[in-house]
């Protein structure tokens, strides 16, 4: 093969590689855009329950992120969207109280009646949050739910709800504790990763 032919072949391969990289970048930007778009949509409507997804708790107090979620769930309850609050989240490493127990205590302090609160205290991640919530829904004959979480987390929460057969609509928190550009980008990149991980796990 002549030198000119070899150079032409290398240019051909580099051209295809460049196109593939551009397609991959466009795909990733599209996924990120979808996650942001879903997180900006508040679908709150009449439902049987409000599921507040768990987040970190510090001893007896919710973390700032969790507090935002709880407060939004309480607001939806007070506005009459659903008669039941379902708090999710188990025990963190070495934590004396489950996340859902902390949320329940906080809600009671805010004047929510105990009869309107359900909790599960064994889950450790979003999928388990929703799995345990589904069990409680089946026991109580609940069907449609509003899922509450952070805006950038909402896309994954609703996607997992569909996979688990939960009739869910999303209501992201109106504000987020992930306020700096660094934390928001980190959260977004994490959610883009989980989007692809869940695709692979579904196929496997």
């Amino acid at each position: 093969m002549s030198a000119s032919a070899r150079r032409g072949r290398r240019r051909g391969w580099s051209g295809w590689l460049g196109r593939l990289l551009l397609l991959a970048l466009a795909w990733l930007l599209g996924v990120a855009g979808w996650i942001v778009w879903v997180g900006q949509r508040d679908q709150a409507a009449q439902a049987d329950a409000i599921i507040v997804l768990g987040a970190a708790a510090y001893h007896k107090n919710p973390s700032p992120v969790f507090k935002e979620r709880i407060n939004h769930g309480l607001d939806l309850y007070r506005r009459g969207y659903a008669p039941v609050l379902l708090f999710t989240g188990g025990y963190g490493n070495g934590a004396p109280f489950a996340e859902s127990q902390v949320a329940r205590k906080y809600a009671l302090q805010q004047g929510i009646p105990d009869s309107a609160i359900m909790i599960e205290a064994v889950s450790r991640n979003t999928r388990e949050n929703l799995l345990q919530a589904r069990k409680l829904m089946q026991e109580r004959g609940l069907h449609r739910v509003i899922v509450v979480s952070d805006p950038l987390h909402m896309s994954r929460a609703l996607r997992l709800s569909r996979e688990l057969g939960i009739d869910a609509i999303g209501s992201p928190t109106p504000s987020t504790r992930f306020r700096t550009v660094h934390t928001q980008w980190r959260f977004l990149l994490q959610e883009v990763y989980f989007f692809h991980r869940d695709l692979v796990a579904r196929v496997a």
Side-chain angles (χ1 to χ4, degrees):
M1 182 182 295
S2 67
S4 60
R6 286 196 296 269
R7 284 195 298 271
R9 189 170 184 179
R10 282 197 297 270
R11 282 197 296 270
W13 280 109
S14 63
W16 277 108
L17 181 60
R19 293 186 188 96
L20 288 174
L21 289 174
L22 285 174
L23 283 173
L25 179 60
W27 168 262
L28 292 173
L29 289 174
V31 170
W34 170 258
I35 290 169
V36 171
W37 181 73
V38 172
Q40 293 175 343
R41 297 171 65 217
D42 190 342
Q43 300 173 296
Q46 289 297 313
D48 298 320
I50 299 160
I51 296 177
V52 178
L53 296 180
Y58 307 138
H59 194 62
K60 295 181 181 180
N61 300 307
S63 65
V65 170
F66 198 18
K67 192 173 182 179
E68 290 276 333
R69 298 182 187 184
I70 298 168
N71 281 333
H72 187 50
L74 301 189
D75 180 58
L76 292 172
Y77 170 82
R78 289 177 178 133
R79 288 159 63 190
Y81 281 106
V84 176
L85 284 158
L86 200 169
F87 295 116
T88 67
Y91 293 84
N93 293 329
F97 301 101
E99 295 164 4
S100 57
Q101 292 172 340
V102 172
R104 176 181 176 275
K105 176 176 175 288
Y106 181 89
L108 291 172
Q109 291 173 341
Q110 302 301 311
I112 304 300
D114 191 38
S115 59
I117 300 173
M118 299 170 63
I119 68 170
E120 66 79 22
V122 299
S123 62
R124 300 295 296 272
N125 55 49
T126 304
R127 180 181 287 274
E128 291 179 7
N129 286 168
L130 293 166
L131 273 171
Q132 296 301 319
R134 186 179 67 178
K135 290 181 181 179
L136 292 176
M137 290 169 58
Q138 291 170 342
E139 291 172 5
R140 292 279 294 268
L142 305 175
H143 302 287
R144 197 176 205 213
V145 296
I146 302 170
V147 174
V148 171
S149 192
D150 293 88
L152 294 178
H153 187 229
M154 188 55 64
S155 174
R156 177 155 56 107
L158 292 177
R159 186 170 66 252
L160 289 172
S161 295
R162 287 193 297 271
E163 289 179 15
L164 296 171
I166 298 172
D167 182 6
I169 51 180
S171 184
T173 56
S175 60
T176 177
R177 299 301 296 186
F178 298 97
R179 290 178 178 170
T180 67
V181 173
H182 174 72
T183 55
Q184 289 186 15
W185 270 104
R186 185 176 177 182
F187 196 178
L188 179 57
L189 290 174
Q190 172 184 292
E191 291 304 316
V192 170
Y193 163 76
F194 281 125
F195 176 90
H196 293 90
R197 187 203 64 176
D198 292 345
L199 280 180
V200 173
R202 197 185 312 165
V203 172

